[in-house]
Amino acid sequence: MSTSLLPRDQRREWRWGKRSMRICFIGAGALGSTIGGTLARGGAEVWLIDPFQAHVDTINARGLRMREGSAETVVTVTACTSAAQVGVKADLVIVLVKSYHTSEAIRAAAQIIGPHTVVMSLQNGLGHEDILSEEVGRDRVMAGKTYVGGVLLGPGHVRSGVIGKETIIGELDGRLTERARRISETFNRAGILTLLSDNILGTMWDKLFINVAGGGITAITGLTYGGLYSLPILEDCALAAISEGIAVARAAGVKISITDPRRAWTMASAGLPPEFKTSMLQSLQSGNLTEIDYIHGSVVRWGARLNVPTPVNSTLVALVKGIEYARSDYPGRS
Ligand SMILES: NC(=O)C1=CN([C@@H]2O[C@H](COP(=O)(O)OP(=O)(O)OC[C@H]3O[C@@H](n4cnc5c(N)ncnc54)[C@H](OP(=O)(O)O)[C@@H]3O)[C@@H](O)[C@H]2O)C=CC1
Ligand SMILES: CC(C)(CO)C(=O)C(=O)O
């Protein structure tokens, strides 16, 4: 029987009973392994789903090695290369593929999604909930953003940055539901500092400003944070890009808590060393596409819809796309 204090009409049917929550991660790279491993260590039943065969094999054979600061632990967790191998429905599916893989990844996970499965993205940027809703229905989708960080050090081995880093989750319509409360409890029990929000849209835009601060600029310049934060002209550019984002969010009627661009600029590098590279720069350097369309591109798309000019973000999008394109076999390439 539920002990919830929420009114009955606000309780989503809770079918997970008293057993531990069965959580499947679609995408178990740097962040999926970090959060998945932490939840498994905290007692949840976790499945890591990722096509990286050597990573999956190492985790299954020897456990997931997690380095946090100078401590290293080995976590027993099940990994597989496709959702078809899980064989049961998930209570919670957490999507942590790169944004541009979201649609194909959720489609490939149909077998683990049942009538009471919750699907939640913790990816950076905006727009994932719409993609997920198209595939699984809006009722199943919750939203979240996280300040937890992860780096994949090699197959079966991650550096995790969980301690003191917030994760915020919530229902798209702002209701404080039983399922949201149970998910945040599971996260907190595992040591992931998780808050329940009745304004998850605001949270999503706040996190967007953090990524807008340095993502595009570092991707274009190749600078680590040490370089980015030493050159005032780049700070001016970052503040202009964040200001556009704030103007767009305000025009959209989103209740943001970051209203001073300097706060986003400061927060973006908090606790990170000068040699830190943003994920956008890391993507380019490893030959992958960036999430530019979901980060600066979101500011541009929303700005166009609401008639708010976004020239700085548009320029950053164009230049990053140019860098991506320069690696292709374009006409006239020498
Ligand atoms: N790393 C971090 O610290 C943070 C990351 N984020 C966000 O989290 C998301 C994931 O980032 P991150 O973990 O760094 O990225 P990674 O590239 O390390 O991990 C993504 C993983 O998803 C795999 N993948 C691709 N397609 C599928 C699929 N169809 N099914 C299952 N897995 C698939 C990838 O495999 P393959 O490489 O073969 O494509 C890869 O192993 C991004 O949106 C990022 O912005 C947010 C906050 C912090
Ligand atoms: C570390 C942080 C918050 C800001 O650069 C980030 O999310 C990223 O690099 O993608």
Side-chain angles (χ1 to χ4, degrees):
M1 203 164 66
S2 169
T3 53
S4 173
L5 298 176
L6 294 169
R8 184 171 292 279
D9 64 351
Q10 282 188 25
R11 288 183 216 165
R12 296 301 256 255
E13 278 294 298
W14 197 260
R15 311 261 170 170
W16 309 344
K18 292 208 166 177
R19 63 176 168 76
S20 39
M21 196 179 285
R22 182 178 302 131
I23 308 176
C24 293
F25 281 77
I26 306 184
L31 191 60
S33 295
T34 294
I35 297 186
T38 308
L39 288 170
R41 199 170 46 198
E45 181 188 331
V46 172
W47 294 74
L48 301 178
I49 305 167
D50 196 286
F52 185 7
Q53 185 76 57
H55 186 48
V56 165
D57 291 346
T58 309
I59 291 171
N60 288 330
R62 292 196 287 259
L64 174 69
R65 279 165 70 205
M66 301 186 69
R67 187 188 298 169
E68 175 104 35
S70 55
E72 190 145 297
T73 51
V74 178
V75 179
T76 303
V77 55
T78 310
C80 53
T81 51
S82 95
Q85 294 159 16
V86 176
V88 280
K89 302 291 183 206
D91 301 316
L92 173 63
V93 169
I94 297 183
V95 181
L96 276 172
V97 294
K98 291 289 190 190
S99 299
Y100 44 83
H101 284 143
T102 305
S103 183
E104 62 173 82
I106 192 67
R107 253 184 269 129
Q111 288 171 57
I112 54 170
I113 296 169
H116 305 291
T117 304
V118 176
V119 178
M120 181 167 75
S121 156
L122 291 175
Q123 296 152 291
N124 281 330
L126 299 183
H128 309 97
E129 291 69 24
D130 293 336
I131 298 171
L132 297 174
S133 295
E134 262 179 41
E135 297 301 327
V136 304
R138 209 157 180 86
D139 266 12
R140 288 200 182 89
V141 177
M142 277 182 52
K145 287 291 166 214
T146 187
Y147 290 86
V148 166
V151 178
L152 196 62
L153 298 173
H157 194 195
V158 283
R159 182 163 66 228
S160 67
V162 171
I163 297 166
K165 302 286 183 187
E166 264 179 17
T167 296
I168 304 151
I169 66 168
E171 296 283 355
L172 296 174
D173 60 11
R175 288 184 309 141
L176 297 175
T177 57
E178 183 71 1
R179 65 180 188 176
R181 190 183 64 77
R182 294 282 288 271
I183 293 167
S184 78
E185 261 177 26
T186 301
F187 274 50
N188 280 309
R189 212 178 302 127
I192 302 172
L193 176 62
T194 303
L195 307 173
L196 202 50
S197 172
D198 60 3
N199 173 31
I200 197 69
L201 281 185
T203 300
M204 289 158 74
W205 278 85
D206 286 339
K207 177 77 202 277
L208 183 72
F209 303 150
I210 305 298
N211 293 114
V212 163
I217 300 175
T218 55
I220 294 160
T221 58
L223 287 169
T224 61
Y225 266 177
L228 178 69
Y229 282 78
S230 308
L231 204 55
I233 196 168
L234 295 179
E235 179 175 340
D236 293 346
C237 178
L239 294 177
I242 303 163
S243 299
E244 287 178 5
I246 291 174
V248 170
R250 282 190 169 132
V254 179
K255 280 185 274 160
I256 47 176
S257 67
I258 298 179
T259 51
D260 175 359
R262 280 194 184 281
R263 185 152 163 246
W265 171 250
T266 312
M267 279 174 74
S269 64
L272 296 170
E275 62 274 17
F276 177 81
K277 292 179 181 173
T278 64
S279 58
M280 221 179 280
L281 175 58
Q282 287 184 49
S283 294
L284 281 186
Q285 289 187 337
S286 54
N288 292 316
L289 292 173
T290 67
E291 295 181 299
I292 189 81
D293 280 330
Y294 297 80
I295 296 179
H296 299 275
S298 294
V299 176
V300 174
R301 272 190 308 281
W302 278 91
R305 254 178 245 167
L306 299 162
N307 270 325
V308 178
T310 58
V312 177
N313 282 280
S314 298
T315 306
L316 293 171
V317 171
L319 294 178
V320 171
K321 282 188 173 289
I323 293 170
E324 291 174 350
Y325 188 56
R327 297 179 309 199
S328 70
D329 192 16
Y330 62 88
R333 183 183 175 143
S334 56

